[in-house]
Amino acid sequence: MIVLVVNCGSSSLKYQLVNMDNEEVMAKGLVEKIGLPDSQLTHKWNGQKKEIKQSIPDHKVAVKLVLDILTDAECGVIKSMDAIDAVGHRVVHGGEEFAASTLITDEVMKALEKCSAMAPLHNPPNIIGINACKAIMPGVPQVGVFDTAFHQTMPAKAFMYGLPYELYTEDHIRRYGFHGTSHRYVAGEVAKVMGVPVEKLRIINCHLGNGSSLAAIKYGKCVDTTMGFTPLAGVLMGTRCGDIDPAIVLNVMDNHNLSTKEMDTLMNKKSGVLGISGVSSDFRDLGEAAKEGNERAQLALDMFHYQVRKEIGAFAAAMGGVDVITFTAGVGENGIEDRAAIAEGLEYLGAKLDPQRNDVRGKDALISTDDSTVKMYVIPTNEEIMIARDTKEIVSKQ
Ligand code: AMP
């Protein structure tokens, strides 16, 4: 079975074509700046790369372009569009309606539209992507895989906020959590690497990238996570503030006469390690600036490492202990010094980092000492393969 994995952002479309007989990635690419003046497609296949710069006014044109290049005589990998058996879509918000991936039907589309109110930045482009694929590939089954689904096992004591109860029952305000597909993948993968069933492990997964979240995964089920009603909550991130006293929002809006949109931009785009350092949202830039003596860059890094470490402690308490701590995503997979700084002071928990083993990037690796009672691993995430696997499983059952 050949599955096309699609991840649509507001002006981008990432894709992967996966042969599910052997999970081989046949081709992948990115369409950028959809609807903007300098839109382009970057396509990679068989170790080769091609860039096409042309006008791409909307997602439908983007999907068409992707299908054209996948079937192109020179850089294509399939003869015709008919070779694609199914399409798997990343969908950011599935609300409480979706606790698992699902075949997209008209009913599902209606439910997705409802979820858009809760994720106005993320869900609409996902829906546009699904509609574009449905229009261009009618009859090809489409599957939705939700960032929120894995977290639906959280108990109410973890997902409820201390607000009037009606805000939950009527406005659906609660913790949803995000990066669920990544957390689910890493939990399964570390269990495989350790040779222990996931049902026997208490895992704290640290997904640390531009956006960061931690998840407490007890015996295969998510019991808590740091992101909340939106992906703005939790540890501070590249440009997002993470958890702050909610009264600050009112205070800053009043004092600076900001609209809700302006406040939203301040918290989502101008905060986090960028806001603290004034240097960059990129952890590599911050590391370099800190080494050159930039104190605010160092402060931003210190805050990030401290907050991640604090959440690890919180999740160990939430699960009554922890067996394994995993690091994934850009910073988690590559940030050797970041992992070392986070792990500093976790010895009390029984987690001891091995500096030699920690000198590793971008591959499955044990990074704790042999006598560390809590194991630590680097596990590169792979959300696309999860989407492709779910798509195959759901479509095979039809
Ligand atoms: P992601 O959102 O998962 O793509 O992660 C992006 C983040 O990973 C950026 O802040 C990058 O600076 C960071 N990153 C990538 N490589 C490294 C590295 N070698 N050391 C530290 N951070 C890195």
Side-chain angles (χ1 to χ4, degrees), residues 14 179 207-212 238 273 280-287 328-338 361 381 383:
K14 276 192 230 155
H179 292 142
H207 177 114
L208 311 176
N210 268 323
S212 294
V273 291
S280 173
S281 63
D282 190 295
F283 280 75
R284 280 166 296 198
D285 298 343
L286 289 178
T328 198
V331 181
E333 291 166 28
N334 302 297
I336 294 166
E337 290 170 18
D338 295 294
R361 288 204 166 101
T381 194
E383 288 159 285

